[in-house]
Amino acid sequence: MLNTLQARGITVPERTMVATASDSEHTRQSHPAISAIELNPSATSAALLDLLQDRMSGLPSTGPILTASRFRPRASTRREPLMPLDASPHNV
């Protein structure tokens, strides 16, 4: 998607911010680097297996189970702060 935006002259992050739901080497090495959510697959897999084992044993579902994730902000979602209205050159 980043390549398509850039090919159409849409600047990232100035005009459009980009983030993805999974972190990868591609997101880290893109230019600009893409912000991502790190999903913690180990904890998610363990929770899934616990739920599956309970269901297979005839126990009722205890879900949903929330697992930790982390947002990794990178250049694709970083913008310069907006200029305050009173600092605008038009208000001088």
Side-chain angles (χ1 to χ4, degrees):
M1 177 194 324
L2 185 59
N3 291 337
T4 301
L5 290 169
Q6 291 171 335
R8 292 179 181 213
I10 300 170
T11 56
V12 175
E14 295 80 11
R15 185 165 167 210
T16 299
M17 288 192 247
V18 176
T20 184
S22 62
D23 200 10
S24 68
E25 192 64 27
H26 173 75
T27 62
R28 292 184 289 274
Q29 299 301 320
S30 293
H31 295 286
I34 300 171
S35 297
I37 298 173
E38 184 180 312
L39 296 174
N40 194 347
S42 296
T44 303
S45 297
L48 174 63
L49 290 173
D50 288 344
L51 288 171
L52 181 59
Q53 185 175 7
D54 287 349
R55 295 294 285 176
M56 290 173 64
S57 298
L59 299 172
S61 177
T62 58
I65 296 174
L66 300 178
T67 57
S69 60
R70 181 180 300 183
F71 181 64
R72 300 286 186 186
R74 297 191 179 105
S76 69
T77 56
R78 290 189 186 130
R79 288 183 176 165
E80 293 295 320
L82 295 175
M83 183 183 303
L85 288 177
D86 57 353
S88 171
H90 302 290
N91 291 336
V92 177

Coordinates of all heavy atoms in Angstrom, one line a residue:
M1 N 0.8 -1.2 0.0 CA 0.0 0.0 0.0 C 0.9 1.3 0.0 O 0.6 2.2 -0.7 CB -0.9 0.0 1.2 CG -1.7 1.3 1.3 SD -2.6 1.8 2.8 CE -3.2 0.3 3.5
L2 N 1.9 1.2 0.8 CA 2.8 2.4 0.8 C 3.4 2.7 -0.5 O 3.4 3.9 -0.9 CB 4.0 2.1 1.8 CG 4.9 3.2 2.1 CD1 4.2 4.4 2.7 CD2 6.0 2.8 3.1
N3 N 3.8 1.7 -1.3 CA 4.3 2.0 -2.7 C 3.2 2.6 -3.5 O 3.5 3.5 -4.3 CB 4.8 0.7 -3.3 CG 6.1 0.2 -2.6 OD1 6.8 1.0 -2.0 ND2 6.3 -1.1 -2.7
T4 N 2.0 2.1 -3.4 CA 0.9 2.7 -4.2 C 0.6 4.1 -3.9 O 0.5 5.0 -4.8 CB -0.4 1.8 -4.1 OG1 -0.1 0.5 -4.4 CG2 -1.5 2.4 -4.9
L5 N 0.6 4.4 -2.6 CA 0.4 5.8 -2.2 C 1.5 6.7 -2.7 O 1.2 7.8 -3.3 CB 0.3 5.9 -0.6 CG -0.9 5.3 0.1 CD1 -0.6 5.2 1.6 CD2 -2.1 6.1 -0.2
Q6 N 2.7 6.3 -2.5 CA 3.9 7.1 -3.0 C 3.9 7.3 -4.5 O 4.2 8.3 -5.0 CB 5.2 6.5 -2.5 CG 5.3 6.6 -1.0 CD 6.5 5.8 -0.4 OE1 6.9 4.9 -1.0 NE2 7.0 6.3 0.7
A7 N 3.5 6.2 -5.2 CA 3.4 6.3 -6.7 C 2.4 7.3 -7.2 O 2.5 7.9 -8.3 CB 3.1 4.9 -7.3
R8 N 1.4 7.5 -6.4 CA 0.3 8.4 -6.7 C 0.6 9.8 -6.2 O -0.3 10.7 -6.3 CB -1.0 7.9 -6.2 CG -1.5 6.7 -7.0 CD -2.8 6.2 -6.5 NE -3.1 5.0 -7.2 CZ -4.4 4.6 -7.5 NH1 -5.4 5.4 -7.1 NH2 -4.6 3.5 -8.2
G9 N 1.8 10.0 -5.6 CA 2.1 11.3 -5.1 C 1.5 11.7 -3.7 O 1.5 12.8 -3.3
I10 N 1.0 10.7 -3.0 CA 0.4 10.9 -1.7 C 1.5 10.7 -0.7 O 2.0 9.6 -0.6 CB -0.8 9.9 -1.5 CG1 -1.9 10.2 -2.5 CG2 -1.3 10.1 -0.1 CD1 -3.0 9.1 -2.6
T11 N 1.8 11.7 0.0 CA 2.9 11.7 1.0 C 2.5 11.1 2.3 O 1.4 11.3 2.8 CB 3.5 13.1 1.2 OG1 2.5 13.9 1.6 CG2 4.2 13.6 -0.1
V12 N 3.4 10.3 2.8 CA 3.2 9.6 4.1 C 4.3 10.1 5.1 O 5.5 10.0 4.7 CB 3.3 8.1 4.0 CG1 3.2 7.4 5.3 CG2 2.2 7.6 3.0
P13 N 4.0 10.6 6.2 CA 2.7 10.8 6.9 C 2.0 12.1 6.7 O 1.0 12.4 7.3 CB 3.1 10.6 8.4 CG 4.4 11.3 8.5 CD 5.1 11.0 7.1
E14 N 2.6 13.0 5.9 CA 2.1 14.4 5.8 C 0.6 14.4 5.3 O -0.2 15.1 5.9 CB 2.9 15.2 4.8 CG 4.3 15.4 5.3 CD 5.3 14.2 5.0 OE1 4.9 13.3 4.3 OE2 6.4 14.2 5.5
R15 N 0.3 13.6 4.3 CA -1.1 13.6 3.9 C -1.9 12.4 4.4 O -3.1 12.5 4.7 CB -1.1 13.6 2.3 CG -2.5 13.8 1.8 CD -2.5 14.1 0.3 NE -3.8 14.0 -0.3 CZ -4.0 13.6 -1.5 NH1 -3.0 13.5 -2.3 NH2 -5.2 13.5 -2.0
T16 N -1.3 11.2 4.4 CA -2.0 10.0 4.9 C -1.1 9.3 5.9 O 0.1 9.1 5.5 CB -2.3 9.1 3.7 OG1 -3.2 9.8 2.8 CG2 -3.0 7.8 4.2
M17 N -1.6 8.9 7.0 CA -0.8 8.1 8.0 C -1.1 6.6 7.7 O -2.2 6.3 7.3 CB -1.2 8.4 9.4 CG -0.6 9.8 9.8 SD -0.8 10.0 11.6 CE -2.0 11.3 11.6
V18 N -0.1 5.8 7.9 CA -0.2 4.3 7.6 C 0.2 3.6 8.8 O 1.2 3.8 9.4 CB 0.7 3.9 6.4 CG1 0.6 2.4 6.2 CG2 0.2 4.7 5.1
A19 N -0.6 2.6 9.2 CA -0.3 1.6 10.3 C -0.8 0.3 9.9 O -1.7 0.1 9.0 CB -0.9 2.1 11.6
T20 N -0.2 -0.8 10.4 CA -0.6 -2.1 10.1 C -0.9 -2.9 11.4 O -0.4 -2.5 12.5 CB 0.5 -2.9 9.3 OG1 0.0 -4.1 8.9 CG2 1.8 -3.0 10.0
A21 N -1.6 -4.0 11.3 CA -2.0 -4.8 12.4 C -1.0 -5.9 12.8 O -1.3 -6.7 13.6 CB -3.4 -5.4 12.2
S22 N 0.1 -5.9 12.1 CA 1.1 -6.9 12.5 C 2.5 -6.3 12.2 O 2.7 -5.7 11.2 CB 0.9 -8.2 11.7 OG 1.1 -8.0 10.3
D23 N 3.4 -6.5 13.1 CA 4.8 -6.0 13.0 C 5.6 -7.0 12.2 O 5.4 -8.2 12.3 CB 5.4 -5.8 14.4 CG 6.5 -4.8 14.3 OD1 6.8 -4.2 13.3 OD2 7.2 -4.7 15.3
S24 N 6.5 -6.5 11.3 CA 7.3 -7.4 10.6 C 8.6 -6.7 10.1 O 8.7 -5.5 10.3 CB 6.6 -7.9 9.3 OG 6.4 -6.8 8.4
E25 N 9.5 -7.4 9.6 CA 10.8 -6.8 9.1 C 10.4 -5.8 8.0 O 11.0 -4.7 7.9 CB 11.7 -7.9 8.5 CG 13.1 -7.4 8.2 CD 13.8 -6.9 9.5 OE1 13.6 -7.4 10.6 OE2 14.7 -6.0 9.3
H26 N 9.4 -6.1 7.2 CA 9.0 -5.2 6.1 C 8.5 -3.9 6.7 O 8.9 -2.8 6.2 CB 7.9 -5.8 5.3 CG 7.3 -4.9 4.3 ND1 7.9 -4.6 3.1 CD2 6.1 -4.2 4.3 CE1 7.2 -3.7 2.4 NE2 6.1 -3.5 3.1
T27 N 7.7 -3.9 7.7 CA 7.2 -2.6 8.3 C 8.4 -1.8 8.9 O 8.4 -0.6 8.8 CB 6.1 -2.9 9.4 OG1 6.7 -3.6 10.5 CG2 4.9 -3.6 8.8
R28 N 9.3 -2.5 9.5 CA 10.5 -1.8 10.1 C 11.4 -1.2 9.1 O 12.1 -0.2 9.3 CB 11.2 -2.7 11.0 CG 10.4 -3.1 12.3 CD 11.2 -3.9 13.3 NE 11.5 -5.3 12.8 CZ 10.6 -6.3 12.9 NH1 9.5 -6.1 13.6 NH2 10.9 -7.5 12.5
Q29 N 11.6 -1.9 7.9 CA 12.5 -1.5 6.9 C 11.9 -0.6 5.8 O 12.7 -0.1 4.9 CB 13.2 -2.7 6.3 CG 14.0 -3.5 7.3 CD 15.1 -2.8 7.9 OE1 15.8 -2.0 7.3 NE2 15.2 -3.0 9.2
S30 N 10.6 -0.4 5.8 CA 10.0 0.5 4.8 C 10.5 1.9 5.0 O 11.0 2.3 6.0 CB 8.5 0.4 4.9 OG 8.0 -0.8 4.6
H31 N 10.3 2.7 3.9 CA 10.6 4.2 4.0 C 9.4 5.0 3.6 O 9.0 5.0 2.4 CB 11.8 4.5 3.0 CG 13.1 3.8 3.5 ND1 13.8 4.2 4.5 CD2 13.7 2.7 3.0 CE1 14.8 3.4 4.7 NE2 14.8 2.5 3.7
P32 N 8.8 5.7 4.5 CA 9.1 5.7 6.0 C 8.7 4.3 6.6 O 7.9 3.6 6.1 CB 8.2 6.8 6.5 CG 7.1 6.9 5.6 CD 7.6 6.5 4.2
A33 N 9.3 4.1 7.8 CA 9.0 2.9 8.5 C 7.5 2.9 9.0 O 7.0 4.0 9.3 CB 9.9 2.8 9.8
I34 N 6.8 1.8 8.9 CA 5.4 1.8 9.1 C 5.1 1.4 10.6 O 5.6 0.4 11.1 CB 4.7 0.7 8.2 CG1 5.0 1.1 6.7 CG2 3.2 0.6 8.5 CD1 4.5 0.1 5.7
S35 N 4.2 2.2 11.2 CA 3.8 1.9 12.5 C 3.0 0.6 12.6 O 2.3 0.3 11.6 CB 2.9 3.1 13.1 OG 3.6 4.2 13.1
A36 N 3.1 -0.1 13.7 CA 2.5 -1.5 13.7 C 2.1 -1.9 15.1 O 2.6 -1.3 16.1 CB 3.5 -2.5 13.1
I37 N 1.2 -2.8 15.1 CA 0.8 -3.4 16.4 C 1.5 -4.7 16.5 O 1.5 -5.6 15.6 CB -0.7 -3.6 16.5 CG1 -1.5 -2.3 16.4 CG2 -1.1 -4.4 17.7 CD1 -3.0 -2.4 16.3
E38 N 2.2 -4.9 17.6 CA 2.9 -6.2 18.0 C 1.9 -7.0 18.8 O 1.6 -6.6 19.9 CB 4.2 -5.9 18.8 CG 5.0 -7.0 19.1 CD 6.2 -6.6 19.8 OE1 6.9 -5.7 19.5 OE2 6.5 -7.3 20.9
L39 N 1.5 -8.1 18.2 CA 0.4 -8.9 18.7 C 0.7 -9.9 19.8 O -0.2 -10.4 20.4 CB -0.4 -9.6 17.6 CG -1.0 -8.6 16.6 CD1 -1.6 -9.4 15.4 CD2 -2.1 -7.8 17.2
N40 N 2.0 -10.2 20.1 CA 2.4 -11.2 21.1 C 1.8 -12.6 20.8 O 0.9 -13.1 21.5 CB 1.9 -10.7 22.5 CG 2.6 -11.5 23.6 OD1 3.2 -12.5 23.4 ND2 2.5 -11.0 24.8
P41 N 2.3 -13.2 19.7 CA 1.7 -14.5 19.3 C 1.9 -15.6 20.3 O 1.1 -16.5 20.4 CB 2.5 -14.8 18.0 CG 3.6 -13.9 18.0 CD 3.3 -12.7 18.8
S42 N 2.9 -15.6 21.2 CA 3.1 -16.6 22.2 C 2.0 -16.6 23.2 O 1.4 -17.7 23.5 CB 4.4 -16.4 22.9 OG 5.5 -16.6 22.0
A43 N 1.6 -15.4 23.7 CA 0.5 -15.3 24.7 C -0.8 -15.7 24.0 O -1.7 -16.3 24.6 CB 0.5 -14.0 25.3
T44 N -1.0 -15.2 22.8 CA -2.3 -15.4 22.1 C -2.4 -16.9 21.8 O -3.5 -17.5 22.0 CB -2.3 -14.6 20.8 OG1 -2.1 -13.2 21.1 CG2 -3.6 -14.8 20.1
S45 N -1.4 -17.6 21.4 CA -1.4 -19.0 21.1 C -1.7 -19.8 22.4 O -2.5 -20.8 22.3 CB -0.1 -19.5 20.5 OG 0.1 -18.9 19.3
A46 N -1.1 -19.5 23.5 CA -1.3 -20.2 24.7 C -2.8 -20.0 25.2 O -3.4 -21.0 25.6 CB -0.4 -19.6 25.8
A47 N -3.3 -18.8 25.1 CA -4.7 -18.6 25.4 C -5.7 -19.4 24.5 O -6.6 -20.0 25.0 CB -5.0 -17.1 25.4
L48 N -5.4 -19.4 23.2 CA -6.2 -20.2 22.3 C -6.2 -21.7 22.6 O -7.2 -22.3 22.7 CB -5.7 -20.0 20.9 CG -6.4 -20.8 19.8 CD1 -7.8 -20.5 19.7 CD2 -5.7 -20.6 18.5
L49 N -5.0 -22.2 22.9 CA -4.9 -23.6 23.3 C -5.6 -24.0 24.6 O -6.2 -25.0 24.7 CB -3.4 -24.0 23.4 CG -2.7 -24.1 22.0 CD1 -1.2 -24.3 22.2 CD2 -3.3 -25.1 21.1
D50 N -5.6 -23.1 25.6 CA -6.3 -23.3 26.8 C -7.8 -23.3 26.5 O -8.5 -24.2 27.0 CB -6.0 -22.2 27.8 CG -4.6 -22.3 28.4 OD1 -4.0 -23.3 28.3 OD2 -4.2 -21.2 29.0
L51 N -8.3 -22.4 25.7 CA -9.7 -22.4 25.3 C -10.1 -23.7 24.6 O -11.2 -24.3 24.9 CB -10.1 -21.2 24.5 CG -10.1 -19.8 25.2 CD1 -10.2 -18.7 24.2 CD2 -11.2 -19.8 26.2
L52 N -9.3 -24.1 23.6 CA -9.5 -25.3 22.9 C -9.6 -26.5 23.7 O -10.5 -27.4 23.6 CB -8.5 -25.4 21.8 CG -8.7 -26.6 20.8 CD1 -10.0 -26.6 20.1 CD2 -7.5 -26.6 19.8
Q53 N -8.6 -26.6 24.7 CA -8.6 -27.8 25.6 C -9.8 -27.8 26.4 O -10.4 -28.9 26.6 CB -7.3 -27.7 26.4 CG -7.1 -28.9 27.3 CD -5.8 -28.9 28.1 OE1 -5.1 -27.9 28.0 NE2 -5.5 -30.0 28.8
D54 N -10.3 -26.7 26.9 CA -11.5 -26.7 27.7 C -12.7 -27.1 26.9 O -13.5 -27.9 27.4 CB -11.8 -25.3 28.3 CG -10.8 -24.9 29.4 OD1 -10.1 -25.8 29.9 OD2 -10.8 -23.7 29.8
R55 N -12.8 -26.6 25.7 CA -13.9 -27.0 24.8 C -13.9 -28.5 24.5 O -14.9 -29.2 24.5 CB -13.9 -26.2 23.5 CG -14.2 -24.7 23.7 CD -15.5 -24.4 24.3 NE -16.5 -24.5 23.2 CZ -17.8 -24.4 23.3 NH1 -18.3 -24.1 24.4 NH2 -18.5 -24.6 22.3
M56 N -12.7 -29.0 24.2 CA -12.6 -30.4 23.9 C -12.9 -31.3 25.2 O -13.4 -32.5 25.0 CB -11.2 -30.7 23.4 CG -11.0 -30.2 22.0 SD -9.3 -30.3 21.4 CE -9.1 -32.1 21.3
S57 N -12.8 -30.8 26.4 CA -13.1 -31.5 27.6 C -14.5 -31.3 28.0 O -15.0 -31.8 29.0 CB -12.2 -31.0 28.7 OG -10.8 -31.2 28.5
G58 N -15.3 -30.6 27.2 CA -16.7 -30.4 27.5 C -17.0 -29.2 28.4 O -18.2 -29.0 28.8
L59 N -16.0 -28.5 28.7 CA -16.3 -27.3 29.6 C -16.8 -26.1 28.8 O -16.5 -26.0 27.6 CB -15.0 -26.9 30.3 CG -14.3 -28.0 31.2 CD1 -13.0 -27.5 31.7 CD2 -15.3 -28.2 32.4
P60 N -17.6 -25.2 29.4 CA -18.1 -24.1 28.7 C -16.9 -23.1 28.3 O -15.9 -23.1 29.0 CB -19.1 -23.4 29.6 CG -18.7 -23.9 31.0 CD -18.1 -25.3 30.8
S61 N -17.2 -22.3 27.3 CA -16.2 -21.3 27.0 C -16.0 -20.3 28.1 O -16.9 -19.8 28.6 CB -16.6 -20.6 25.7 OG -15.7 -19.6 25.3
T62 N -14.7 -19.9 28.3 CA -14.4 -18.9 29.3 C -13.9 -17.6 28.6 O -13.5 -16.7 29.3 CB -13.3 -19.4 30.3 OG1 -12.2 -19.8 29.5 CG2 -13.8 -20.6 31.1
G63 N -14.0 -17.6 27.3 CA -13.5 -16.5 26.6 C -14.5 -15.3 26.6 O -15.6 -15.4 27.1
P64 N -14.1 -14.2 26.0 CA -12.8 -14.0 25.4 C -11.7 -13.8 26.4 O -11.9 -13.3 27.5 CB -13.0 -12.7 24.5 CG -14.0 -11.9 25.3 CD -14.9 -13.0 25.9
I65 N -10.5 -14.0 26.0 CA -9.3 -13.8 26.8 C -8.5 -12.7 26.1 O -8.2 -12.8 24.9 CB -8.4 -15.1 26.9 CG1 -9.3 -16.2 27.7 CG2 -7.1 -14.8 27.7 CD1 -8.6 -17.5 27.8
L66 N -8.2 -11.7 26.9 CA -7.4 -10.6 26.3 C -5.9 -10.9 26.5 O -5.5 -11.3 27.6 CB -7.8 -9.3 27.0 CG -9.2 -8.8 26.8 CD1 -9.5 -7.6 27.6 CD2 -9.6 -8.7 25.3
T67 N -5.1 -10.7 25.5 CA -3.7 -10.8 25.6 C -3.0 -9.4 25.3 O -3.6 -8.6 24.7 CB -3.1 -11.8 24.6 OG1 -3.5 -11.5 23.3 CG2 -3.6 -13.2 25.0
A68 N -1.8 -9.2 25.8 CA -1.2 -7.9 25.6 C -0.7 -7.7 24.2 O -0.3 -8.7 23.5 CB 0.0 -7.9 26.6
S69 N -0.8 -6.5 23.8 CA -0.2 -6.1 22.5 C 0.4 -4.8 22.7 O 0.2 -4.1 23.7 CB -1.3 -6.1 21.4 OG -2.3 -5.1 21.7
R70 N 1.2 -4.3 21.7 CA 1.9 -3.1 21.9 C 1.9 -2.3 20.5 O 2.2 -2.9 19.5 CB 3.4 -3.4 22.3 CG 4.2 -2.1 22.5 CD 5.6 -2.5 22.9 NE 5.5 -3.2 24.2 CZ 6.6 -3.6 24.9 NH1 7.8 -3.4 24.4 NH2 6.4 -4.3 26.0
F71 N 1.6 -1.1 20.6 CA 1.7 -0.2 19.4 C 3.1 0.3 19.2 O 3.7 0.8 20.2 CB 0.7 1.0 19.5 CG 0.7 1.8 18.3 CD1 0.3 1.3 17.1 CD2 1.1 3.1 18.4 CE1 0.3 2.1 15.9 CE2 1.1 3.9 17.2 CZ 0.7 3.4 16.0
R72 N 3.7 0.1 18.1 CA 5.0 0.5 17.7 C 4.9 1.7 16.8 O 4.9 1.6 15.6 CB 5.8 -0.6 17.0 CG 6.0 -1.8 17.9 CD 7.0 -1.6 19.0 NE 7.2 -2.8 19.7 CZ 8.0 -2.9 20.7 NH1 8.6 -1.8 21.2 NH2 8.2 -4.0 21.3
P73 N 4.9 2.9 17.3 CA 4.8 4.1 16.5 C 6.2 4.3 15.7 O 7.2 4.2 16.3 CB 4.6 5.3 17.4 CG 5.1 4.8 18.7 CD 4.9 3.3 18.7
R74 N 6.0 4.6 14.4 CA 7.2 4.8 13.6 C 6.9 6.0 12.7 O 5.9 6.7 12.8 CB 7.5 3.6 12.8 CG 7.9 2.4 13.6 CD 8.5 1.2 12.8 NE 8.8 0.2 13.7 CZ 8.2 -1.0 13.9 NH1 7.1 -1.2 13.2 NH2 8.6 -1.9 14.7
A75 N 7.8 6.3 11.8 CA 7.7 7.5 10.9 C 6.4 7.6 10.1 O 6.0 8.7 9.8 CB 8.9 7.6 10.0
S76 N 5.7 6.5 9.8 CA 4.5 6.6 9.0 C 3.3 7.3 9.7 O 2.3 7.6 9.0 CB 4.1 5.2 8.5 OG 3.6 4.4 9.5
T77 N 3.4 7.5 11.0 CA 2.3 8.1 11.7 C 2.8 9.3 12.5 O 2.1 9.8 13.4 CB 1.6 7.1 12.7 OG1 2.6 6.6 13.6 CG2 0.9 6.0 11.9
R78 N 4.0 9.8 12.2 CA 4.6 11.0 13.0 C 4.4 12.2 12.1 O 5.0 12.3 11.0 CB 6.0 10.7 13.3 CG 6.2 9.7 14.4 CD 7.6 9.7 14.9 NE 7.8 8.5 15.8 CZ 8.7 7.6 15.8 NH1 9.6 7.7 14.8 NH2 8.7 6.7 16.6
R79 N 3.7 13.2 12.6 CA 3.6 14.4 11.9 C 4.1 15.5 12.8 O 4.1 15.4 14.0 CB 2.1 14.7 11.6 CG 1.5 13.9 10.6 CD 0.1 14.3 10.3 NE -0.5 13.5 9.2 CZ -1.7 13.4 8.9 NH1 -2.6 14.1 9.7 NH2 -2.2 12.8 7.9
E80 N 4.5 16.6 12.2 CA 4.9 17.8 12.9 C 3.7 18.4 13.6 O 2.6 18.3 13.1 CB 5.5 18.8 12.0 CG 6.9 18.4 11.4 CD 8.0 18.2 12.4 OE1 8.1 19.0 13.3 OE2 8.7 17.2 12.2
P81 N 3.9 18.9 14.9 CA 2.7 19.5 15.5 C 2.2 20.7 14.7 O 3.0 21.4 14.0 CB 3.3 20.0 16.9 CG 4.7 19.5 16.9 CD 5.1 18.9 15.6
L82 N 0.9 20.9 14.8 CA 0.3 22.0 14.1 C 0.7 23.3 14.8 O 0.9 23.3 16.0 CB -1.2 21.9 14.2 CG -1.8 20.7 13.4 CD1 -3.3 20.6 13.6 CD2 -1.5 20.8 11.9
M83 N 0.8 24.3 14.1 CA 1.2 25.6 14.6 C 0.0 26.2 15.4 O -1.1 26.2 14.8 CB 1.6 26.6 13.5 CG 2.0 27.9 13.9 SD 2.4 29.1 12.5 CE 3.6 28.1 11.6
P84 N 0.2 26.7 16.6 CA -0.9 27.3 17.3 C -1.5 28.5 16.6 O -0.7 29.2 15.9 CB -0.3 27.8 18.7 CG 1.0 27.0 18.8 CD 1.4 26.7 17.4
L85 N -2.8 28.8 16.7 CA -3.4 29.9 15.9 C -2.7 31.2 16.2 O -2.5 32.0 15.3 CB -4.9 30.0 16.3 CG -5.7 28.9 15.7 CD1 -7.2 29.0 16.1 CD2 -5.7 28.9 14.2
D86 N -2.4 31.5 17.5 CA -1.8 32.8 17.8 C -0.3 32.9 17.3 O 0.2 34.0 17.2 CB -1.8 33.0 19.3 CG -1.1 31.9 20.1 OD1 -0.7 30.9 19.6 OD2 -0.9 32.1 21.3
A87 N 0.3 31.8 16.8 CA 1.7 31.9 16.3 C 1.6 31.9 14.8 O 2.7 32.0 14.1 CB 2.5 30.7 16.8
S88 N 0.5 31.9 14.2 CA 0.4 31.9 12.7 C 0.9 33.2 12.2 O 0.6 34.3 12.7 CB -1.1 31.7 12.3 OG -1.3 31.9 10.9
P89 N 1.6 33.2 11.0 CA 2.1 34.4 10.4 C 1.0 35.4 10.1 O 1.2 36.6 10.0 CB 2.8 34.0 9.2 CG 2.9 32.5 9.2 CD 2.0 32.0 10.3
H90 N -0.3 34.9 9.9 CA -1.4 35.7 9.5 C -1.9 36.5 10.7 O -2.6 37.5 10.6 CB -2.5 34.9 9.0 CG -2.1 34.1 7.8 ND1 -1.8 34.7 6.6 CD2 -1.9 32.8 7.6 CE1 -1.5 33.8 5.7 NE2 -1.5 32.6 6.3
N91 N -1.5 36.1 12.0 CA -2.0 36.8 13.2 C -1.0 37.8 13.7 O -1.1 38.4 14.8 CB -2.3 35.8 14.3 CG -3.5 35.0 14.0 OD1 -4.4 35.4 13.2 ND2 -3.6 33.8 14.5
V92 N 0.1 38.1 12.9 CA 1.1 39.0 13.3 C 0.8 40.4 13.0 O 0.2 40.7 12.0 CB 2.5 38.6 12.8 CG1 3.6 39.6 13.2 CG2 2.8 37.2 13.2

